[in-house]
Structure formats: structure tokens, C-alpha cells
Amino acid sequence: MNIDIGINQEDRAKIVESLSRVLADSYMLYLKTHNFHWNVTGPMFSTLHVMFEEQYTEMWNALDDIAERIRALGHFAPGTYKRYAELSNITEEADVPSAKEMIRQLVDGHETLIRTAREAVKVADDLDDFPTADMLTTRMEVHEKNAWMLRAFLEHGAGSMQGDASSD
């Protein structure tokens, strides 16, 4: 069935291409955050365990919104690890790093996702896709806040983390 929402098929495909990268980065960061939630150790265990859970739960819910936007634009959303690995700039962690390294990787992941979303907002704005731009702007705000909260653990020796011998 023809889609007539004021954005032609070619432009919708461009938007979907950038949204697919956002979805892939979001899924990879979700997976990494969930992994770290399960495996964090050290004196900040409880605080990080809870923070990671809050962040991955929020990301899990956002994945559906992003995928459904792709579907609303008339395309299929990528949904395999293989495809996410091809599209994403966020890599998996094969090992269990220290709590401090987990935080560093998650800050990097959020910042990577913000940059990917920022590029996708430009595409959506240029093609007058305001609902996509709005959704991505909201996602950027969430990830900027998450990165800030995580970064606070790394600043000035991170207080309680100084004594964590495994956090180097």
C-alpha cells in the first residue's frame, strides 16, 4: 500500500538508514549495560547495579519506539545481532572489565549513540520528518544525562571507587 505522509519513498529510505544505525547503537549499548549490570563488582556494586538496571530498562523500552518509527516509515527494522554489529559503532565487551572500565565504556557508548542520533536528527530535519527528529532529540537528552551521571563516577578519583583495586 502506498504511504502518503508528505515524505517520498526515497527520503523515507534515507531516514530509515540513519534510524537503523540509532537502533543498532541503542541495542548494542542496551546489551552492554545489561551485561555490566549482571557482572559489576567492587565497593560501588549496589549503586552501579541499580544505575545500570535503570539505564538498560529505559533503553529497552526506547528500542521499541525506534523500531516502530522505522515501521511507520514503511520499512522493516533490523533485528539481528549480525545486522546490529554491521550497523553499530558500539562494540561488545568480551571480558568482564573492572567497574571503572565498565563506566568508561558506558560513557563512551552513550556518547557514541548521541553522535549517531545527532547525525540522524540532521537527516530527519533536512527531510521535514519532525516526529523522527523529535524522538531522536528526546533520545539524545536521555543519553546525555546518562553519560553525565556515569561520568560523575570517574571525576576526581570517584570517591569510593579509589579504594577499588580492580577499578584501574
Side-chain angles (χ1 to χ4, degrees), residues 137-152:
T137 300
T138 299
R139 297 305 317 143
M140 287 170 37
E141 184 178 4
V142 168
H143 291 290
E144 286 173 356
K145 182 177 180 182
N146 287 345
W148 159 65
M149 294 178 94
L150 289 162
R151 222 179 282 110

Side-chain angles (χ1 to χ4, degrees), residues 19 39 50 59 114 151 162:
L19 269 177
N39 293 303
V50 169
M59 280 186 276
I114 293 162
R151 222 179 282 110
Q162 283 181 317

Side-chain angles (χ1 to χ4, degrees), residues 14-100:
K14 291 176 188 173
I15 295 163
V16 165
E17 182 180 332
S18 64
L19 269 177
S20 294
R21 293 186 184 288
V22 171
L23 181 60
D25 277 358
S26 298
Y27 196 90
M28 296 297 278
L29 184 57
Y30 156 79
L31 186 62
K32 184 176 275 197
T33 306
H34 207 152
N35 174 21
F36 291 170
H37 161 79
W38 287 329
N39 293 303
V40 68
T41 60
M44 294 299 295
F45 165 80
S46 183
T47 301
L48 293 174
H49 186 76
V50 169
M51 179 186 285
F52 294 168
E53 182 174 18
E54 289 169 355
Q55 290 184 2
Y56 80 68
T57 299
E58 191 283 331
M59 280 186 276
W60 177 256
N61 293 323
L63 290 168
D64 205 47
D65 293 338
I66 299 164
E68 287 179 357
R69 184 64 191 153
I70 291 170
R71 294 296 295 135
L73 292 169
H75 292 262
F76 291 109
T80 65
Y81 290 116
K82 180 180 182 203
R83 190 68 179 124
Y84 290 150
E86 293 168 354
L87 290 169
S88 183
N89 290 310
I90 298 172
T91 58
E92 289 182 293
E93 172 56 60
D95 297 318
V96 177
S98 68
K100 189 173 182 180

